[in-house]
């Protein structure tokens, strides 16, 4: 099966779905990744890379970090949204984030006109659909409706990816982080070392400690995610059979 992951920023692919990507690759599936932005507004881990914060050099650096992580995970093909064949040359920038109210995030007040959230949704959908066609994906995997934690770029990519899957007649499954009705759960704890190796390539954004935990640039700590679920969208019926029958849970 050909599976296309769609993520918003460099490091999202490893943080949220690194173990799943690695397992799918070793299971014989062809996995591609489309990254919407270069994470231009990402905070930088204090230390030797601090000078990159807020500079154009951060974009180039994060491109290199992403390439290193994808090599570890085994992703066969990658593009940034807007770059051919995932569009016609338009560049989508990181929208940043602010909390509008508790539980509701929105783009930063100084988000640029060419940011992902400022773009017309139909343009974003068209570019995502171009990538799905280019990699001949059978299944599209991206965020759930809340984008994982509410980041506006994640939410925008959820809507665009789902709509692009519908437009191209492909199945869509959302990444979820708890078992539930209809969820295909993947317990991939054995792949923790692989995920941590990939995470170490994203050194500007986080620190992987090698003990199953990581610390983000802002100082927040959490466990490395290895077990995830996929929730097929009822709006793309073909995803149900693909996720249920072709991609089996691992325990």
């Amino acid at each position: 099966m050909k599976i296309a992951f769609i993520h918003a920023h460099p490091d999202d692919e490893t943080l949220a779905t690194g173990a799943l990507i690695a397992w799918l690759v070793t299971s014989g599936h062809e996995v591609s990744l489309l990254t919407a932005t270069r994470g231009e507004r990402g905070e930088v881990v204090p230390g030797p890379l601090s000078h990159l914060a807020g500079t154009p050099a951060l974009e180039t650096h994060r491109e290199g970090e992403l390439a290193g992580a994808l090599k570890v995970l085994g992703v066969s093909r990658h593009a940034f949204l807007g770059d051919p064949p995932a569009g016609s040359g338009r560049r989508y920038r990181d929208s940043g984030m602010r909390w509008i109210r508790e539980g509701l995030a929105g783009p930063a007040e100084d988000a640029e006109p060419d940011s992902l959230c400022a773009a017309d949704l139909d343009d974003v959908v068209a570019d995502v659909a171009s990538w799905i066609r280019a990699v001949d994906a059978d299944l599209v995997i991206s965020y759930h409706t809340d984008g994982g934690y509410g980041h506006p770029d994640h939410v925008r990519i959820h809507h665009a990816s789902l709509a692009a899957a519908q437009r191209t007649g492909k199945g869509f499954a959302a990444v979820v982080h708890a078992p539930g009705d209809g969820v295909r759960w993947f317990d991939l704890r054995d792949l923790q070392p692989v995920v941590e190796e990939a995470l170490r390539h994203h050194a500007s954004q986080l620190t992987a400690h090698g003990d199953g935990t990581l610390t983000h640039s802002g100082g927040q700590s959490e466990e490395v995610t290895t077990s995830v679920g996929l929730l097929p969208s009822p709006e793309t019926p073909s995803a149900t059979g693909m996720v249920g029958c072709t991609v089996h849970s691992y325990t």
Side-chain angles (χ1 to χ4, degrees):
M1 181 191 292
K2 296 180 180 180
I3 302 173
F5 282 78
I6 318 291
H7 278 287
H9 315 101
D11 79 13
D12 291 336
E13 79 297 325
T14 308
L15 284 167
T17 57
L20 180 58
I21 289 173
W23 180 76
L24 288 168
V25 169
T26 58
S27 298
H29 300 286
E30 184 178 317
V31 178
S32 66
L33 171 69
L34 179 63
T35 307
T37 78
R38 290 163 174 78
E40 297 89 347
R41 299 180 66 106
E43 296 179 358
V44 177
V45 172
L49 299 177
S50 295
H51 66 282
L52 296 173
T55 73
L58 179 60
E59 304 172 23
T60 302
H61 187 84
R62 294 198 72 179
E63 288 179 4
E65 289 183 334
L66 179 57
L70 297 189
K71 186 175 181 180
V72 172
L73 298 178
V75 171
S76 61
R77 194 170 175 185
H78 173 260
F80 285 99
L81 185 64
D83 288 352
S88 57
R90 174 174 184 159
R91 188 183 183 103
Y92 295 91
R93 297 183 66 84
D94 187 341
S95 304
M97 190 186 83
R98 63 187 172 95
W99 291 107
I100 297 173
R101 56 176 171 79
E102 186 176 355
L104 179 63
E109 293 181 334
D110 60 346
E112 297 170 278
D114 58 352
S115 67
L116 179 62
C117 285
D120 184 86
L121 179 58
D122 194 61
D123 291 341
V124 181
V125 172
D127 286 349
V128 174
S130 293
W131 176 251
I132 294 171
R133 295 188 186 100
V135 298
D136 193 26
D138 302 301
L139 176 65
V140 177
I141 296 176
S142 191
Y143 307 103
H144 197 31
T145 52
D146 64 352
Y149 66 97
H151 194 295
D153 283 343
H154 291 211
V155 175
R156 172 54 63 97
I157 287 301
H158 160 78
H159 291 297
S161 299
L162 175 57
Q166 293 171 317
R167 183 173 296 185
T168 56
K170 306 298 184 179
F172 177 88
V175 175
V176 296
H177 295 286
D181 291 343
V183 173
R184 302 292 176 176
W185 189 249
F186 298 81
D187 183 351
L188 303 171
R189 286 170 287 183
D190 288 351
L191 290 173
Q192 179 181 309
V194 177
V195 178
E196 290 181 330
E197 182 182 353
L199 286 171
R200 282 193 285 273
H201 283 278
H202 289 295
S204 73
Q205 303 299 298
L206 57 90
T207 302
H209 301 294
D211 60 357
T213 65
L214 63 88
T215 302
H216 293 277
S217 56
Q220 315 94 314
S221 294
E222 64 178 1
E223 293 185 357
V224 172
T225 296
T226 53
S227 298
V228 299
L230 292 179
L231 181 62
S233 169
E235 298 174 74
T236 58
S238 60
T240 303
M242 290 179 181
V243 177
C245 299
T246 308
V247 181
H248 301 287
S249 296
Y250 170 92
T251 58

